[in-house]
Amino acid sequence: MISQWIDLTELGSNPWVLPIYTAINQAVGRGATTPLSSKNNALGLHLTTRLNILPRVLTRLSQGLRSIEAQAHQTFQNANRSAPNAPGVALTVSHDTKYLVIADVQSLLTELNTAHELIRKFALALHAHAGHPLAPNARILPSLPAAQRRPEDGVWLRKLDRDRNFVAHEGTLYLAIDISNPASWDFFLRKSNTRQFRRPADYCHLADLRIIVSGFDRWKARLQTHLVDLFNAL
């Protein structure tokens, strides 16, 4: 049993829920709705903690990737070049940094997936609180007009589900460097020892992670606006 403890300060927290809470409190003041339940307030705290974790993971991941890329550029020789029918000699980099990068990628996928689920659960609870309940699997946001759509809007969640499900239920990623464009190296994470990377399902490219993060951020911003408008209209 814990009888005494020390709480830690919470400063600079992610503000995503604050405009939503402001709109709810204003609606309460107008007599248009009731205060949120303790359960829904707790859900807001949980998702905020997840949103606080994400930028820290991204920062540490970026630092690790920059470190490995610098090491690779310093020691790369043509013998290290691999191709489908011509295996090369594996390049040595800091193992600690490499495994921290792998851990951070897998953590990023998990945190994004969980944050998406918590935010969606929060949004459904607020819809019900506002008197506009939705089915659990219902689309919360309307489709964007064609002129406002970006390529990531239609694919980020599918990519996230695919890669997060792999690390959660099927296997572990392993880091490699894509040198297909000699002028611009990039990273990818292998899902097996295959030497054929024709199918996106066989690997997770850093470009895919950028699409996932960008798509999640756009979806989150749109949903915040939607929830604020929902309570402003009461």
Side-chain angles (χ1 to χ4, degrees):
M1 182 179 104
I2 299 173
S3 60
Q4 299 183 54
W5 64 90
I6 300 173
D7 281 322
L8 306 179
T9 58
E10 179 57 46
L11 299 174
S13 190
N14 188 286
W16 185 81
V17 298
L18 296 184
I20 301 168
Y21 283 161
T22 297
I24 293 171
N25 290 335
Q26 290 173 347
V28 171
R30 296 192 301 270
T33 189
T34 58
L36 286 184
S37 67
S38 58
K39 180 179 179 180
N40 286 339
N41 276 318
L43 186 55
L45 178 61
H46 288 310
L47 70 86
T48 296
T49 302
R50 292 285 180 178
L51 295 178
N52 289 339
I53 291 170
L54 281 170
R56 275 79 179 179
V57 175
L58 280 168
T59 297
R60 192 171 66 178
L61 174 59
S62 296
Q63 292 170 345
L65 289 171
R66 285 196 299 270
S67 174
I68 289 178
E69 184 174 13
Q71 294 174 50
H73 276 294
Q74 288 176 357
T75 59
F76 172 77
Q77 298 180 4
N78 197 54
N80 300 123
R81 186 186 308 274
S82 286
N85 298 316
V89 179
L91 185 71
T92 299
V93 297
S94 165
H95 291 301
D96 287 342
T97 306
K98 175 187 66 180
Y99 281 111
L100 284 172
V101 163
I102 294 170
D104 284 340
V105 169
Q106 297 187 150
S107 174
L108 178 64
L109 292 169
T110 300
E111 293 299 331
L112 282 166
N113 178 264
T114 306
H116 173 260
E117 290 181 355
L118 287 175
I119 291 173
R120 181 176 168 80
K121 184 177 180 180
F122 184 68
L124 289 172
L126 293 193
H127 258 271
H129 188 82
H132 300 283
L134 297 172
N137 295 324
R139 177 191 289 271
I140 300 175
L141 291 172
S143 297
L144 279 170
Q148 297 179 23
R149 291 178 200 156
R150 292 185 185 175
E152 64 264 32
D153 290 329
V155 299
W156 73 271
L157 187 55
R158 291 198 299 273
K159 289 178 179 289
L160 175 59
D161 285 343
R162 179 195 68 197
D163 293 335
R164 182 267 174 186
N165 287 340
F166 176 83
V167 301
H169 305 296
E170 299 178 37
T172 306
L173 300 172
Y174 196 78
L175 189 66
I177 303 174
D178 179 2
I179 58 172
S180 305
N181 179 358
S184 180
W185 289 9
D186 209 348
F187 290 90
F188 70 102
L189 291 110
R190 309 170 62 114
K191 296 181 180 178
S192 70
N193 283 328
T194 182
R195 293 195 172 277
Q196 304 290 334
F197 297 103
R198 297 192 183 98
R199 300 186 314 138
D202 293 332
Y203 59 92
C204 174
H205 205 282
L206 194 61
D208 290 326
L209 291 179
R210 297 187 188 103
I211 288 171
I212 291 169
V213 171
S214 175
F216 172 79
D217 285 342
R218 278 173 55 77
W219 170 80
K220 176 166 57 75
R222 288 183 62 215
L223 189 57
Q224 181 192 60
T225 299
H226 170 78
L227 293 173
V228 168
D229 291 345
L230 176 69
F231 284 92
N232 285 343
L234 295 181

